[in-house]
Amino acid sequence: MVVLDLAGTTMADDGLVLAALRQGLRAARVRTDGPRYPALDRQARATMDRSTLTVFGELLDGDMYRARRAHTAFAEYLTTAAAQGRVRPVPGVYGALDALRDAGLGIALTCGFDPELRDRLIAVLGFGTRVDVRLSPADVDGRGLPDPDLLETAARRAGAPTCRIAVAGDATAGIHAAVRAGVALAVGVRGGAHGEPRLRAAGADAVIDSVADLPALLGLPS
């Protein structure tokens, strides 16, 4: 099985998630043009691909009432972006997913979004028929990356031990989770949340330019 991250790995980000995060903070009455925002922005970038609600909770000093308000605005922003055609797949991802499936590998998609938003994005991106398992923190009692629960649950649903799965993602949280889960291969993807030095420091076995390069890394025909 191969477990892939959604935003920034299979879904092109282009700043869309950070824009949604800023919208969420504004809904929680945080000024994104104020003196505090640059520090919040750095903190948000450092924690990309974790549970979105958890990230908002940390950014808002544990105020979960405001965090839930921010999370709702975040989801509404991305939902609107999807309806406007601003949510796009990473170039070459369809070919990569098809090559993985043709090789007999199961495919799971994970993200820090709530299940409703996750499924809406997957449908808009056209990934539905290509994906066997889709998971969010809400599916594992709120335990998102870097906890290994998402990866372990994906493996169980596919009937495969974690030592037989490969994980690919653009953020350190996914790599940390892969290492903790004891996966066969942890692959960092450039161009997303975190750069190659941080991905390798987190424990990535390999780093590729795009998820489109994953089949070749695995020795599969493209």
Side-chain angles (χ1 to χ4, degrees):
M1 158 167 267
V2 177
V3 181
L4 305 173
D5 172 59
L6 183 58
T9 301
T10 53
M11 179 185 100
D13 188 343
D14 299 326
L16 192 62
V17 174
L18 281 173
L21 185 136
R22 285 192 291 271
Q23 182 69 14
L25 290 176
R26 284 192 289 268
R29 298 186 177 180
V30 174
R31 288 185 55 181
T32 56
D33 60 349
R36 189 185 174 206
Y37 180 70
L40 292 176
D41 182 78
R42 288 193 297 272
Q43 184 178 348
R45 291 174 186 270
T47 56
M48 294 289 276
D49 284 355
R50 295 174 59 195
S51 163
T52 307
L53 182 59
T54 298
V55 171
F56 276 122
E58 294 175 354
L59 293 175
L60 297 169
D61 300 322
D63 186 338
M64 295 310 295
Y65 174 79
R66 293 170 69 212
R68 283 188 286 273
R69 183 191 302 170
H71 183 260
T72 297
F74 173 92
E76 289 175 349
Y77 183 95
L78 287 180
T79 297
T80 299
Q84 294 173 342
R86 293 190 290 131
V87 171
R88 300 182 302 277
V90 167
V93 67
Y94 296 135
L97 295 177
D98 290 345
L100 295 171
R101 290 187 67 82
D102 289 346
L105 297 174
I107 299 173
L109 279 180
T110 64
C111 65
F113 306 150
D114 65 71
E116 183 179 356
L117 176 59
R118 175 201 68 206
D119 290 345
R120 183 176 291 114
L121 294 174
I122 287 174
V124 167
L125 291 163
F127 292 162
T129 59
R130 294 177 165 93
V131 173
D132 303 293
V133 178
R134 52 186 75 181
L135 289 168
S136 293
D139 299 311
V140 290
D141 296 325
R143 294 185 301 275
L145 303 175
D147 290 330
D149 301 75
L150 284 172
L151 306 183
E152 292 169 350
T153 300
R156 282 197 301 274
R157 290 192 181 182
T162 55
C163 63
R164 296 287 302 275
I165 68 174
V167 174
D170 64 299
T172 57
I175 302 301
H176 284 305
V179 172
R180 292 173 66 181
V183 306
L185 185 67
V187 182
V189 180
R190 300 184 186 95
H194 301 138
E196 181 171 353
R198 291 188 62 183
L199 293 169
R200 289 197 179 276
D205 299 302
V207 178
I208 55 179
D209 289 330
S210 164
V211 71
D213 302 319
L214 185 59
L217 178 69
L218 298 178
L220 305 177
S222 58

